[in-house]
Amino acid sequence: MAPMTHRRHFLLSATAAAAACVSPLALAQAPGHDATIRLIVPYAPGGPLDATARLLAERVRDSLGTVVIDNKAGAGGNIGADAVAKAAPDGLTIGLAATATHAVNPWLYSRMPYDAAKDFAGITQMVRVPNVLVMNAAKAEQLKIHTLADLIAYAKANPAKLNYGSGGNGSAGHLAGEMFKQRAGIYALHIPYRGASPAQLALLAGEVDFNIDNLAAAAPNIRAGKIKALAVTSLQSSPMLPGVPPLADTFKGFSIDTWWGLVAPAGTPRPVIAKLNKAFLDALNAPETKTRFTALMAEPVSSTPEQFDAFMASERAKYQQLVKASGAKVD
């Protein structure tokens, strides 16, 4: 082989080898490359998960390029989560993982299209929203229930007289209600509704005595004085609801938050995960993000991929026990 030809062959080989080492995400963001990242939200547009995803998609545009939100609702979030699980592990499809899709549904549904423990790679947690135990304000006044202790005392003095509503069997509100009943040693009849909004309307109408709802949904009616907040379900009190104690003050370790974060398909290269993690952490830690999340009653939470994977595993273990104890099941 002539020296010049040999040198050209060597350079081409070296270039090919270098290209093979570049992650798909890095290639996608190279100048002139028109690939976009698809962020699958497993719920319909308009809710807090969708709103926070869109906010972050805008903030990572400079570091990652275009991020398009793809809403794939249905089956309690399973359809969208499955689309993430089945996507190519190239960093160009990521998705939201939520309490339901990655902690509750694996135990609630008889058949799952994906394995929550094996089919995903965590990128970062995004959000934590406390749940809050609320009563119809007029009913609370009528029964002279002003504190959590008052509610527990009334339930013990009036067995089987209380009921509570939720967005459905196996919902966060249902499971939190069952956990509260177990820890408090009281009974209240569970009344499931077709979604969190009908459950809140039932509380406002006085059809049910109390609900455990997420703070983002309950806050407007708390501020309006229509419902009374007795306790939050986070380990600590929430700065977004000053003066309302955590259930953990009464029942040690009581913690049921609503949370969501970002995941990629399992097998996505670690350098790609690291690049995604850095971009989204920068977006989460931006002062503007914190301000806008606060308006949604959502607390930004950033984590390493490893921390988010470990957190989701611990949540699955917790909800396995809660779902089993509740008897809830979806065929």
Side-chain angles (χ1 to χ4, degrees):
M1 182 181 291
M4 185 59 72
T5 305
H6 178 78
R7 185 168 180 270
R8 187 181 297 116
H9 177 75
F10 173 78
L11 288 172
L12 287 171
S13 298
T15 302
C21 294
V22 178
S23 71
L25 181 63
L27 286 173
Q29 305 312 322
H33 201 292
D34 61 357
T36 60
I37 296 173
R38 182 171 60 134
L39 199 174
I40 295 175
V41 175
Y43 300 99
L49 284 86
D50 180 66
T52 53
R54 290 176 188 277
L55 195 158
L56 288 189
E58 285 298 316
R59 295 208 63 86
V60 298
R61 189 177 295 274
D62 289 344
S63 53
L64 296 178
T66 303
V67 178
V68 175
I69 303 298
D70 183 3
N71 296 93
K72 286 188 178 297
N78 285 352
I79 291 174
D82 187 47
V84 179
K86 304 283 195 296
D90 56 9
L92 296 180
T93 299
I94 59 177
L96 283 192
T99 315
T101 57
H102 283 68
V104 176
N105 290 0
W107 317 116
L108 184 63
Y109 283 77
S110 300
R111 290 185 297 273
M112 286 288 288
Y114 59 87
D115 186 329
K118 296 178 180 177
D119 291 347
F120 304 89
I123 296 171
T124 179
Q125 187 174 344
M126 278 173 55
V127 169
R128 175 172 54 233
V129 180
N131 293 308
V132 57
L133 194 161
V134 287
M135 286 193 71
N136 177 293
K139 187 72 172 282
E141 191 64 34
Q142 176 193 338
L143 299 178
K144 296 182 172 54
I145 295 174
H146 307 293
T147 65
L148 179 68
D150 290 341
L151 176 62
I152 295 169
Y154 178 87
K156 288 184 174 179
N158 299 273
K161 282 196 174 180
L162 288 178
N163 60 28
Y164 76 100
S166 82
N169 284 318
S171 66
H174 175 205
L175 298 176
E178 292 304 301
M179 186 172 175
F180 169 55
K181 285 161 54 178
Q182 290 167 15
R183 299 292 295 273
I186 62 172
Y187 176 77
L189 177 67
H190 173 233
I191 301 178
Y193 290 85
R194 290 182 177 273
S197 293
Q200 187 173 113
L201 289 173
L203 181 70
L204 291 169
E207 292 176 16
V208 294
D209 298 312
F210 69 90
N211 284 0
I212 298 181
D213 203 352
N214 77 73
L215 180 54
N221 285 314
I222 294 173
R223 285 195 288 258
K226 295 178 180 178
I227 57 178
K228 181 178 182 62
L230 297 182
V232 292
T233 65
S234 46
L235 281 173
Q236 286 85 34
S237 57
S238 171
M240 294 177 284
L241 207 58
V244 178
L247 276 156
D249 279 2
T250 304
F251 306 110
K252 185 176 175 60
F254 194 111
S255 173
I256 294 190
D257 292 331
T258 298
W259 53 264
W260 57 93
L262 292 165
V263 293
T268 301
R270 298 313 295 177
V272 175
I273 295 289
K275 181 169 183 173
L276 289 164
N277 175 265
K278 183 182 186 311
F280 282 105
L281 256 56
D282 289 345
L284 281 166
N285 292 325
E288 183 189 342
T289 301
K290 293 182 178 180
T291 300
R292 292 181 65 182
F293 275 31
T294 298
L296 294 168
M297 294 290 168
E299 177 190 347
V301 179
S302 56
S303 62
T304 66
E306 294 77 16
Q307 286 170 336
F308 190 37
D309 281 333
F311 172 74
M312 289 191 288
S314 69
E315 288 286 285
R316 272 191 299 278
K318 176 172 74 179
Y319 280 103
Q320 181 180 19
Q321 301 302 319
L322 282 175
V323 172
K324 183 178 179 182
S326 74
K329 206 72 183 169
V330 176
D331 292 327

